[in-house]
Amino acid sequence: MSLKLSTRPLEPGYRYFERFVPPAEPAGRPKGPEPHISAEAQVHDSILGPWCRVGARTSLSETAMGAYSYIVNDSSAAHAEIGKFCSIARDVRINPGNHPTWKAAQHHFSYRAVSYEMGESDDEDFFEWRRSHRVTLGHDVWLGHGVTILPGVTVGTGSVVGAGAVVSKDVAPVTIVGGVPSKPIRERFPKAVQDGILAIAWWDWEHERLADALADFRTLDADAFVEKYV
């Protein structure tokens, strides 16, 4: 079974981009819920939710990005499932290309044979293998500058990955990790507050409800927010 995103049903407000073509006229500052892609970005076979933003010289390939998430300049993501409200800094690499280390040759020619005029077709089984090792980010995940998330890793909702970290293992929800390879530093909140935030699931709120609660997002700490909304 193919894992390509072109076959996935779209939620309201989400758009599928077979291949992004920059508009003839500069788009200017993003306005409204339509996903905004820099004219210098490359987006291929990907799904973007409303209010998503993609920065200059960033590449997305076979990546689904949830509503309100953004990825800024000079980053890349491939075969990735990105939740809502994720904040992805520049120079981030999500699921960099895996090579067939178990075979006699690791080089492109063995699976991109057409480019090297060695065969009439590429190795589609290999690319399906890559797709099967998707990276998954939960909701409200923050990836700092220069982070690398290796294939097959899941980063839980509400987590923080410190700048320059290389993440080779799953990250628990609401946890801060850092280092090479990354290791847990601490949990963001006490367990009761974590459970409350996850139960509230504010990332699933409608746009209007988020706007109505904006003052609370700004002024309440997580403990007080949970007390008010659970």
Side-chain angles (χ1 to χ4, degrees):
M1 180 183 69
S2 174
L3 299 173
K4 290 184 178 180
L5 294 177
S6 58
T7 62
R8 180 181 297 186
L10 295 178
E11 300 176 50
Y14 282 68
R15 282 193 59 190
Y16 172 75
F17 294 86
E18 181 177 8
R19 189 173 297 278
F20 170 67
V21 178
E25 297 294 327
R29 291 190 57 158
K31 295 180 180 179
E34 182 73 9
H36 182 272
I37 303 170
S38 166
E40 299 178 71
Q42 296 181 341
V43 177
H44 165 65
D45 193 16
S46 293
I47 294 171
L48 300 181
W51 304 99
C52 281
R53 307 291 186 245
V54 180
R57 299 173 303 281
T58 285
S59 170
L60 300 183
S61 178
E62 300 191 36
T63 291
M65 181 179 288
Y68 301 90
S69 288
Y70 65 86
I71 180 168
V72 298
N73 301 355
D74 303 299
S75 296
S76 67
H79 313 306
E81 199 77 33
I82 298 171
K84 303 173 186 176
F85 293 93
C86 289
S87 305
I88 302 172
R90 65 185 301 154
D91 296 320
V92 165
R93 299 290 177 264
I94 299 174
N95 208 348
N98 239 345
H99 288 250
T101 57
W102 65 94
K103 294 187 177 182
Q106 304 178 94
H107 190 269
H108 280 180
F109 85 86
S110 65
Y111 50 90
R112 297 187 188 274
V114 174
S115 297
Y116 294 90
E117 300 180 4
M118 293 187 183
E120 296 181 356
S121 62
D122 292 333
D123 186 354
E124 189 58 30
D125 288 342
F126 174 78
F127 293 107
E128 286 294 296
W129 172 79
R130 271 191 177 172
R131 292 184 185 104
S132 72
H133 289 76
R134 296 181 73 78
V135 163
T136 301
L137 305 186
H139 308 299
D140 194 35
V141 170
W142 174 22
L143 303 184
H145 182 107
V147 163
T148 300
I149 309 291
L150 295 182
V153 167
T154 294
V155 180
T157 290
S159 293
V160 177
V161 181
V166 176
V167 185
S168 59
K169 296 181 180 179
D170 290 353
V171 177
V174 204
T175 300
I176 300 172
V177 303
V180 181
S182 67
K183 295 180 181 180
I185 297 173
R186 64 178 175 86
E187 296 179 346
R188 286 179 59 202
F189 311 121
K191 187 66 165 62
V193 178
Q194 292 183 44
D195 291 344
I197 291 289
L198 295 173
I200 292 168
W202 57 261
W203 40 85
D204 289 331
W205 291 1
E206 296 293 331
H207 189 84
E208 292 74 17
R209 187 178 182 191
L210 289 165
D212 289 343
L214 183 60
D216 290 334
F217 280 105
R218 288 177 170 178
T219 61
L220 301 181
D221 63 17
D223 197 354
F225 191 91
V226 167
E227 185 176 352
K228 180 170 182 176
Y229 286 96
V230 164

